[in-house]
Structure formats: structure tokens, C-alpha cells
């Protein structure tokens, strides 16, 4: 196939993923997020590899984007509750320290266990659904009485069994780099970022509908 044909293949596959996307599951995930925010709970996020970088994107967006006005010139009033978001894969020091002391399978579980509480929400992203460090942390979340949302592909793996809600990205791929054991992985990672943006936008709408207008003269 030519380069142009491969580009078209990728985009055609992506359209097929979008056409089959489980909207009802994401709708339910939004409800979990709203309930966590309304109750003053904390959202914890975790993933491996490139998706760990996307969880950092989640942190930036979830902490800040819903809490500015539409023109971004003014923050919402300080008494509008902010969402607490913790990136469990955000500290290289913590991750390497826990991996050295407890082993790589325990890095997220050990970082989560001292802090997670009932009413919190744990977000887990694993293409296979079987990443051992993610699976262990989902068990910790369940034992603590926290809610959990997992996003996977394929058959969902162990994450599908452990999470309260599991979104399985549909599809398969013939595009170079996401075949075989990595089947559909690029499209999965694309959808992780899309889920971030969808949830952040929905939360922004909910916050804006409930928040008073920002006072005059409060521009940053």
C-alpha cells in the first residue's frame, strides 16, 4: 500500500471505531464523575506508556478547564468547588521508588491505598485490560469502597471484571504498528484523549450551570 493509502486506512479505521463507540458506557462514566465531584471526592488516574502522558493531560484539564469562564479571561469564583485529581503516574521519583521497594506490579496500588476513600473515583486505562499494576490498583479501589472506571480494548481483560464500569474500545486494525499484540492500540490511545475531552467538556457545562457569574474585575 502507498503512504496515502495507509493514511486513508488509518482514518477509515478510526471512523469505524467512532461509529461503534459505546456512548452509553461513557454516559454512565460521566455520571460517576459528576457524583464524585458533587460529593467532594477525589479522582485518581493511572495508565502505562503513552497513556500515562495522557493522564497528565487529564490532570491539567480536569483541575482547571471547567473552572474558567467561556472566554477564559476570568476564573470562576473561589467558592466554586474545584475537582481534586491525582495522577498516580505523575512522579518519576514515586514510581521508581515503589518499583524498587515493592516491585512494578505494586506501584499504583501502593500509591493509591493510603489515600483512596469511599466516594472517590479511580480511572484506569489499559489496552490489554490485564496490566498487572492497573489490575492491582483496581482491586485496592474496590476494597476501599471507591468507584472505578476502566477503559480497555479487545475483550477487556481483568479490568472488565474489577471495574464498576468498563468501556471497551471496539475494532481491529491493519495499520502498521497496531497489529498483532498491539491490535488497535493507536486508535485506543486516540480514544483515551477523546474521552478526556468529552468528560471535561461535560463537567464544564455542569459547573457553569450551577456557578454564579464571576465578579467583575477578577480577570487573571
Amino acid at each position: 500500500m502507498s503512504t496515502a493509502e495507509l493514511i486513508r486506512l488509518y482514518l477509515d479505521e478510526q471512523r469505524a471505531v467512532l461509529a461503534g463507540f459505546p456512548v452509553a458506557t461513557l454516559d454512565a462514566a460521566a455520571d460517576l464523575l459528576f457524583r464524585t465531584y458533587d460529593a467532594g471526592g477525589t479522582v485518581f488516574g493511572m495508565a502505562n506508556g503513552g497513556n500515562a502522558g495522557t493522564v497528565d493531560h487529564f490532570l491539567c484539564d480536569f483541575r482547571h478547564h471547567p473552572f474558567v469562564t467561556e472566554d477564559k479571561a476570568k476564573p470562576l469564583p473561589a467558592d466554586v468547588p474545584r475537582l481534586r485529581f491525582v495522577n498516580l503516574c505523575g512522579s518519576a521519583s514515586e514510581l521508581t521508588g515503589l518499583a524498587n521497594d515493592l516491585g512494578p506490579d505494586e506501584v499504583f496500588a501502593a500509591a493509591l491505598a493510603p489515600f483512596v476513600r469511599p466516594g472517590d473515583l479511580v480511572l484506569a486505562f489499559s489496552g490489554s485490560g490485564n496490566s498487572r499494576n492497573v489490575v492491582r490498583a483496581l482491586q485496592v479501589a474496590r476494597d476501599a469502597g471507591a468507584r472505578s472506571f476502566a477503559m480497555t480494548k479487545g475483550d477487556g481483560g481483568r479490568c472488565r471484571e474489577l471495574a464498576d464500569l468498563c468501556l471497551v474500545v471496539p475494532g481491529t486494525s491493519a495499520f502498521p504498528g497496531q497489529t498483532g499484540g498491539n491490535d488497535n492500540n493507536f486508535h485506543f490511545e486516540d480514544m483515551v484523549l477523546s474521552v478526556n475531552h468529552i468528560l471535561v467538556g461535560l463537567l464544564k457545562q455542569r459547573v457553569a450551570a450551577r456557578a454564579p457569574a464571576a465578579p467583575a474585575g477578577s480577570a487573571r
Side-chain angles (χ1 to χ4, degrees):
M1 296 179 73
S2 69
T3 300
E5 288 171 330
L6 286 170
I7 293 169
R8 281 192 289 271
L9 171 66
Y10 188 95
L11 296 174
D12 287 343
E13 289 179 349
Q14 191 172 63
R15 280 188 283 270
V17 169
L18 291 169
F21 194 83
V23 172
T25 307
L26 189 54
D27 184 21
D31 184 64
L32 287 182
L33 175 65
F34 297 158
R35 286 162 56 192
T36 304
Y37 171 71
D38 291 346
T42 299
V43 178
F44 297 88
M46 59 181 163
N48 292 295
N51 290 316
T54 306
V55 173
D56 210 34
H57 192 138
F58 270 74
L59 181 147
C60 177
D61 283 0
F62 273 73
R63 279 189 181 177
H64 303 290
H65 190 69
F67 307 105
V68 295
T69 53
E70 280 297 302
D71 63 3
K72 299 180 70 172
K74 303 181 183 70
L76 294 179
D79 60 354
V80 174
R82 270 50 176 175
L83 178 70
R84 289 193 291 272
F85 190 101
V86 175
N87 179 3
L88 294 173
C89 39
S91 168
S93 295
E94 182 177 40
L95 286 174
T96 55
L98 291 172
N100 185 63
D101 294 344
L102 302 176
D105 293 353
E106 297 297 319
V107 290
F108 297 144
L112 180 65
F115 303 105
V116 68
R117 298 290 182 268
D120 292 340
L121 174 61
V122 176
L123 306 179
F125 303 95
S126 169
S128 68
N130 292 312
S131 302
R132 290 188 293 272
N133 51 9
V134 172
V135 168
R136 278 284 300 118
L138 282 174
Q139 186 64 63
V140 166
R142 173 176 283 194
D143 293 345
R147 294 181 289 265
S148 58
F149 166 71
M151 186 169 171
T152 70
K153 59 183 177 67
D155 64 6
R158 289 277 290 138
C159 286
R160 192 169 196 167
E161 302 170 19
L162 287 169
D164 294 309
L165 187 64
C166 185
L167 189 156
V168 179
V169 173
T172 189
S173 179
F175 186 83
Q178 60 168 352
T179 56
N182 285 321
D183 185 34
N184 220 37
N185 201 54
F186 295 163
H187 296 317
F188 170 73
E189 294 189 351
D190 290 343
M191 291 300 102
V192 173
L193 185 56
S194 292
V195 163
N196 168 67
H197 288 152
I198 290 168
L199 292 178
V200 166
L202 293 172
L203 181 61
K204 181 176 177 63
Q205 180 187 53
R206 186 179 182 88
V207 170
R210 296 183 174 192
S218 62
R220 291 185 290 184

PDB file of all heavy atoms in Angstrom, residues 120-143:
ATOM      1  N   ASP A 120     -14.607   8.281  46.200  1.00  0.00           N
ATOM      2  CA  ASP A 120     -13.604   8.637  45.202  1.00  0.00           C
ATOM      3  C   ASP A 120     -13.867   7.850  43.914  1.00  0.00           C
ATOM      4  O   ASP A 120     -14.626   6.879  43.890  1.00  0.00           O
ATOM      5  CB  ASP A 120     -12.192   8.349  45.704  1.00  0.00           C
ATOM      6  CG  ASP A 120     -11.771   9.258  46.841  1.00  0.00           C
ATOM      7  OD1 ASP A 120     -12.383  10.335  47.012  1.00  0.00           O
ATOM      8  OD2 ASP A 120     -10.825   8.884  47.579  1.00  0.00           O
ATOM      9  N   LEU A 121     -13.187   8.279  42.848  1.00  0.00           N
ATOM     10  CA  LEU A 121     -13.309   7.620  41.546  1.00  0.00           C
ATOM     11  C   LEU A 121     -11.919   7.313  41.013  1.00  0.00           C
ATOM     12  O   LEU A 121     -11.067   8.211  40.949  1.00  0.00           O
ATOM     13  CB  LEU A 121     -14.067   8.521  40.562  1.00  0.00           C
ATOM     14  CG  LEU A 121     -14.168   8.038  39.113  1.00  0.00           C
ATOM     15  CD1 LEU A 121     -14.915   6.707  39.021  1.00  0.00           C
ATOM     16  CD2 LEU A 121     -14.843   9.097  38.248  1.00  0.00           C
ATOM     17  N   VAL A 122     -11.687   6.077  40.632  1.00  0.00           N
ATOM     18  CA  VAL A 122     -10.398   5.648  40.083  1.00  0.00           C
ATOM     19  C   VAL A 122     -10.574   5.380  38.594  1.00  0.00           C
ATOM     20  O   VAL A 122     -11.429   4.584  38.193  1.00  0.00           O
ATOM     21  CB  VAL A 122      -9.880   4.397  40.811  1.00  0.00           C
ATOM     22  CG1 VAL A 122      -8.589   3.896  40.157  1.00  0.00           C
ATOM     23  CG2 VAL A 122      -9.653   4.691  42.289  1.00  0.00           C
ATOM     24  N   LEU A 123      -9.772   6.073  37.772  1.00  0.00           N
ATOM     25  CA  LEU A 123      -9.787   5.906  36.321  1.00  0.00           C
ATOM     26  C   LEU A 123      -8.600   5.046  35.916  1.00  0.00           C
ATOM     27  O   LEU A 123      -7.453   5.374  36.250  1.00  0.00           O
ATOM     28  CB  LEU A 123      -9.695   7.262  35.616  1.00  0.00           C
ATOM     29  CG  LEU A 123     -10.708   8.332  36.003  1.00  0.00           C
ATOM     30  CD1 LEU A 123     -10.435   9.608  35.209  1.00  0.00           C
ATOM     31  CD2 LEU A 123     -12.131   7.852  35.789  1.00  0.00           C
ATOM     32  N   ALA A 124      -8.856   3.970  35.191  1.00  0.00           N
ATOM     33  CA  ALA A 124      -7.801   3.031  34.812  1.00  0.00           C
ATOM     34  C   ALA A 124      -7.803   2.837  33.306  1.00  0.00           C
ATOM     35  O   ALA A 124      -8.845   2.545  32.717  1.00  0.00           O
ATOM     36  CB  ALA A 124      -8.028   1.688  35.506  1.00  0.00           C
ATOM     37  N   PHE A 125      -6.636   2.991  32.687  1.00  0.00           N
ATOM     38  CA  PHE A 125      -6.510   2.854  31.242  1.00  0.00           C
ATOM     39  C   PHE A 125      -5.484   1.763  30.937  1.00  0.00           C
ATOM     40  O   PHE A 125      -4.317   1.885  31.291  1.00  0.00           O
ATOM     41  CB  PHE A 125      -6.093   4.181  30.615  1.00  0.00           C
ATOM     42  CG  PHE A 125      -7.053   5.294  30.941  1.00  0.00           C
ATOM     43  CD1 PHE A 125      -6.810   6.150  32.006  1.00  0.00           C
ATOM     44  CD2 PHE A 125      -8.217   5.461  30.211  1.00  0.00           C
ATOM     45  CE1 PHE A 125      -7.696   7.155  32.331  1.00  0.00           C
ATOM     46  CE2 PHE A 125      -9.115   6.467  30.525  1.00  0.00           C
ATOM     47  CZ  PHE A 125      -8.863   7.318  31.590  1.00  0.00           C
ATOM     48  N   SER A 126      -5.939   0.701  30.268  1.00  0.00           N
ATOM     49  CA  SER A 126      -5.060  -0.409  29.929  1.00  0.00           C
ATOM     50  C   SER A 126      -5.549  -1.024  28.630  1.00  0.00           C
ATOM     51  O   SER A 126      -6.678  -1.531  28.571  1.00  0.00           O
ATOM     52  CB  SER A 126      -5.065  -1.473  31.038  1.00  0.00           C
ATOM     53  OG  SER A 126      -4.419  -2.660  30.612  1.00  0.00           O
ATOM     54  N   GLY A 127      -4.726  -0.973  27.582  1.00  0.00           N
ATOM     55  CA  GLY A 127      -5.147  -1.516  26.301  1.00  0.00           C
ATOM     56  C   GLY A 127      -5.519  -2.980  26.392  1.00  0.00           C
ATOM     57  O   GLY A 127      -6.548  -3.407  25.859  1.00  0.00           O
ATOM     58  N   SER A 128      -4.715  -3.769  27.069  1.00  0.00           N
ATOM     59  CA  SER A 128      -4.998  -5.194  27.197  1.00  0.00           C
ATOM     60  C   SER A 128      -6.068  -5.477  28.232  1.00  0.00           C
ATOM     61  O   SER A 128      -6.725  -6.525  28.190  1.00  0.00           O
ATOM     62  CB  SER A 128      -3.723  -5.942  27.604  1.00  0.00           C
ATOM     63  OG  SER A 128      -3.345  -5.590  28.936  1.00  0.00           O
ATOM     64  N   GLY A 129      -6.217  -4.566  29.178  1.00  0.00           N
ATOM     65  CA  GLY A 129      -7.086  -4.817  30.316  1.00  0.00           C
ATOM     66  C   GLY A 129      -6.447  -5.707  31.361  1.00  0.00           C
ATOM     67  O   GLY A 129      -7.075  -6.039  32.371  1.00  0.00           O
ATOM     68  N   ASN A 130      -5.195  -6.082  31.139  1.00  0.00           N
ATOM     69  CA  ASN A 130      -4.518  -7.010  32.045  1.00  0.00           C
ATOM     70  C   ASN A 130      -3.219  -6.459  32.620  1.00  0.00           C
ATOM     71  O   ASN A 130      -2.441  -7.234  33.206  1.00  0.00           O
ATOM     72  CB  ASN A 130      -4.227  -8.328  31.310  1.00  0.00           C
ATOM     73  CG  ASN A 130      -5.489  -9.090  30.985  1.00  0.00           C
ATOM     74  OD1 ASN A 130      -6.353  -9.275  31.838  1.00  0.00           O
ATOM     75  ND2 ASN A 130      -5.618  -9.517  29.728  1.00  0.00           N
ATOM     76  N   SER A 131      -2.937  -5.182  32.452  1.00  0.00           N
ATOM     77  CA  SER A 131      -1.717  -4.603  33.016  1.00  0.00           C
ATOM     78  C   SER A 131      -1.720  -4.843  34.525  1.00  0.00           C
ATOM     79  O   SER A 131      -2.627  -4.399  35.237  1.00  0.00           O
ATOM     80  CB  SER A 131      -1.660  -3.101  32.730  1.00  0.00           C
ATOM     81  OG  SER A 131      -1.716  -2.856  31.341  1.00  0.00           O
ATOM     82  N   ARG A 132      -0.717  -5.556  35.025  1.00  0.00           N
ATOM     83  CA  ARG A 132      -0.782  -6.022  36.408  1.00  0.00           C
ATOM     84  C   ARG A 132      -0.814  -4.884  37.413  1.00  0.00           C
ATOM     85  O   ARG A 132      -1.502  -4.971  38.442  1.00  0.00           O
ATOM     86  CB  ARG A 132       0.390  -6.971  36.695  1.00  0.00           C
ATOM     87  CG  ARG A 132       0.253  -8.317  35.975  1.00  0.00           C
ATOM     88  CD  ARG A 132       1.309  -9.306  36.429  1.00  0.00           C
ATOM     89  NE  ARG A 132       2.645  -8.907  36.030  1.00  0.00           N
ATOM     90  CZ  ARG A 132       3.202  -9.227  34.857  1.00  0.00           C
ATOM     91  NH1 ARG A 132       2.515  -9.927  33.969  1.00  0.00           N
ATOM     92  NH2 ARG A 132       4.428  -8.851  34.573  1.00  0.00           N
ATOM     93  N   ASN A 133      -0.096  -3.790  37.117  1.00  0.00           N
ATOM     94  CA  ASN A 133      -0.111  -2.688  38.079  1.00  0.00           C
ATOM     95  C   ASN A 133      -1.475  -2.001  38.109  1.00  0.00           C
ATOM     96  O   ASN A 133      -1.936  -1.545  39.158  1.00  0.00           O
ATOM     97  CB  ASN A 133       1.016  -1.684  37.800  1.00  0.00           C
ATOM     98  CG  ASN A 133       1.073  -1.216  36.359  1.00  0.00           C
ATOM     99  OD1 ASN A 133       0.193  -1.495  35.555  1.00  0.00           O
ATOM    100  ND2 ASN A 133       2.137  -0.482  36.024  1.00  0.00           N
ATOM    101  N   VAL A 134      -2.163  -1.940  36.976  1.00  0.00           N
ATOM    102  CA  VAL A 134      -3.506  -1.355  36.917  1.00  0.00           C
ATOM    103  C   VAL A 134      -4.518  -2.283  37.593  1.00  0.00           C
ATOM    104  O   VAL A 134      -5.372  -1.836  38.378  1.00  0.00           O
ATOM    105  CB  VAL A 134      -3.902  -1.086  35.452  1.00  0.00           C
ATOM    106  CG1 VAL A 134      -5.368  -0.674  35.347  1.00  0.00           C
ATOM    107  CG2 VAL A 134      -3.007  -0.002  34.848  1.00  0.00           C
ATOM    108  N   VAL A 135      -4.425  -3.580  37.321  1.00  0.00           N
ATOM    109  CA  VAL A 135      -5.346  -4.543  37.925  1.00  0.00           C
ATOM    110  C   VAL A 135      -5.236  -4.529  39.447  1.00  0.00           C
ATOM    111  O   VAL A 135      -6.250  -4.542  40.162  1.00  0.00           O
ATOM    112  CB  VAL A 135      -5.066  -5.958  37.361  1.00  0.00           C
ATOM    113  CG1 VAL A 135      -5.786  -7.034  38.173  1.00  0.00           C
ATOM    114  CG2 VAL A 135      -5.483  -6.027  35.892  1.00  0.00           C
ATOM    115  N   ARG A 136      -4.019  -4.486  39.961  1.00  0.00           N
ATOM    116  CA  ARG A 136      -3.828  -4.463  41.411  1.00  0.00           C
ATOM    117  C   ARG A 136      -4.455  -3.204  42.018  1.00  0.00           C
ATOM    118  O   ARG A 136      -5.092  -3.262  43.078  1.00  0.00           O
ATOM    119  CB  ARG A 136      -2.328  -4.502  41.749  1.00  0.00           C
ATOM    120  CG  ARG A 136      -1.735  -5.876  41.724  1.00  0.00           C
ATOM    121  CD  ARG A 136      -2.126  -6.694  42.983  1.00  0.00           C
ATOM    122  NE  ARG A 136      -1.657  -6.031  44.190  1.00  0.00           N
ATOM    123  CZ  ARG A 136      -2.463  -5.580  45.166  1.00  0.00           C
ATOM    124  NH1 ARG A 136      -3.780  -5.689  45.074  1.00  0.00           N
ATOM    125  NH2 ARG A 136      -1.937  -5.017  46.243  1.00  0.00           N
ATOM    126  N   ALA A 137      -4.307  -2.077  41.366  1.00  0.00           N
ATOM    127  CA  ALA A 137      -4.874  -0.840  41.894  1.00  0.00           C
ATOM    128  C   ALA A 137      -6.398  -0.851  41.840  1.00  0.00           C
ATOM    129  O   ALA A 137      -7.072  -0.313  42.734  1.00  0.00           O
ATOM    130  CB  ALA A 137      -4.319   0.361  41.130  1.00  0.00           C
ATOM    131  N   LEU A 138      -6.970  -1.453  40.817  1.00  0.00           N
ATOM    132  CA  LEU A 138      -8.424  -1.582  40.771  1.00  0.00           C
ATOM    133  C   LEU A 138      -8.934  -2.430  41.931  1.00  0.00           C
ATOM    134  O   LEU A 138     -10.006  -2.160  42.492  1.00  0.00           O
ATOM    135  CB  LEU A 138      -8.866  -2.191  39.444  1.00  0.00           C
ATOM    136  CG  LEU A 138      -8.883  -1.246  38.239  1.00  0.00           C
ATOM    137  CD1 LEU A 138      -9.203  -2.023  36.967  1.00  0.00           C
ATOM    138  CD2 LEU A 138      -9.883  -0.107  38.434  1.00  0.00           C
ATOM    139  N   GLN A 139      -8.187  -3.450  42.313  1.00  0.00           N
ATOM    140  CA  GLN A 139      -8.578  -4.246  43.473  1.00  0.00           C
ATOM    141  C   GLN A 139      -8.516  -3.412  44.743  1.00  0.00           C
ATOM    142  O   GLN A 139      -9.387  -3.514  45.616  1.00  0.00           O
ATOM    143  CB  GLN A 139      -7.672  -5.466  43.600  1.00  0.00           C
ATOM    144  CG  GLN A 139      -8.107  -6.435  44.692  1.00  0.00           C
ATOM    145  CD  GLN A 139      -9.460  -7.048  44.414  1.00  0.00           C
ATOM    146  OE1 GLN A 139      -9.632  -7.758  43.421  1.00  0.00           O
ATOM    147  NE2 GLN A 139     -10.440  -6.792  45.286  1.00  0.00           N
ATOM    148  N   VAL A 140      -7.489  -2.585  44.873  1.00  0.00           N
ATOM    149  CA  VAL A 140      -7.386  -1.682  46.021  1.00  0.00           C
ATOM    150  C   VAL A 140      -8.581  -0.740  46.069  1.00  0.00           C
ATOM    151  O   VAL A 140      -9.170  -0.508  47.129  1.00  0.00           O
ATOM    152  CB  VAL A 140      -6.060  -0.890  45.961  1.00  0.00           C
ATOM    153  CG1 VAL A 140      -6.069   0.283  46.933  1.00  0.00           C
ATOM    154  CG2 VAL A 140      -4.881  -1.812  46.266  1.00  0.00           C
ATOM    155  N   ALA A 141      -8.949  -0.181  44.904  1.00  0.00           N
ATOM    156  CA  ALA A 141     -10.102   0.718  44.850  1.00  0.00           C
ATOM    157  C   ALA A 141     -11.369  -0.004  45.291  1.00  0.00           C
ATOM    158  O   ALA A 141     -12.176   0.538  46.070  1.00  0.00           O
ATOM    159  CB  ALA A 141     -10.270   1.266  43.429  1.00  0.00           C
ATOM    160  N   ARG A 142     -11.565  -1.215  44.805  1.00  0.00           N
ATOM    161  CA  ARG A 142     -12.756  -1.993  45.185  1.00  0.00           C
ATOM    162  C   ARG A 142     -12.764  -2.254  46.685  1.00  0.00           C
ATOM    163  O   ARG A 142     -13.805  -2.090  47.353  1.00  0.00           O
ATOM    164  CB  ARG A 142     -12.790  -3.303  44.408  1.00  0.00           C
ATOM    165  CG  ARG A 142     -13.883  -4.253  44.860  1.00  0.00           C
ATOM    166  CD  ARG A 142     -13.954  -5.506  43.994  1.00  0.00           C
ATOM    167  NE  ARG A 142     -14.608  -5.233  42.728  1.00  0.00           N
ATOM    168  CZ  ARG A 142     -15.042  -6.197  41.902  1.00  0.00           C
ATOM    169  NH1 ARG A 142     -14.861  -7.462  42.210  1.00  0.00           N
ATOM    170  NH2 ARG A 142     -15.643  -5.878  40.775  1.00  0.00           N
ATOM    171  N   ASP A 143     -11.625  -2.661  47.245  1.00  0.00           N
ATOM    172  CA  ASP A 143     -11.552  -2.962  48.671  1.00  0.00           C
ATOM    173  C   ASP A 143     -11.834  -1.731  49.524  1.00  0.00           C
ATOM    174  O   ASP A 143     -12.366  -1.848  50.638  1.00  0.00           O
ATOM    175  CB  ASP A 143     -10.172  -3.521  49.023  1.00  0.00           C
ATOM    176  CG  ASP A 143      -9.918  -4.902  48.405  1.00  0.00           C
ATOM    177  OD1 ASP A 143     -10.894  -5.540  47.954  1.00  0.00           O
ATOM    178  OD2 ASP A 143      -8.745  -5.314  48.357  1.00  0.00           O
TER     179      ASP A 143
END
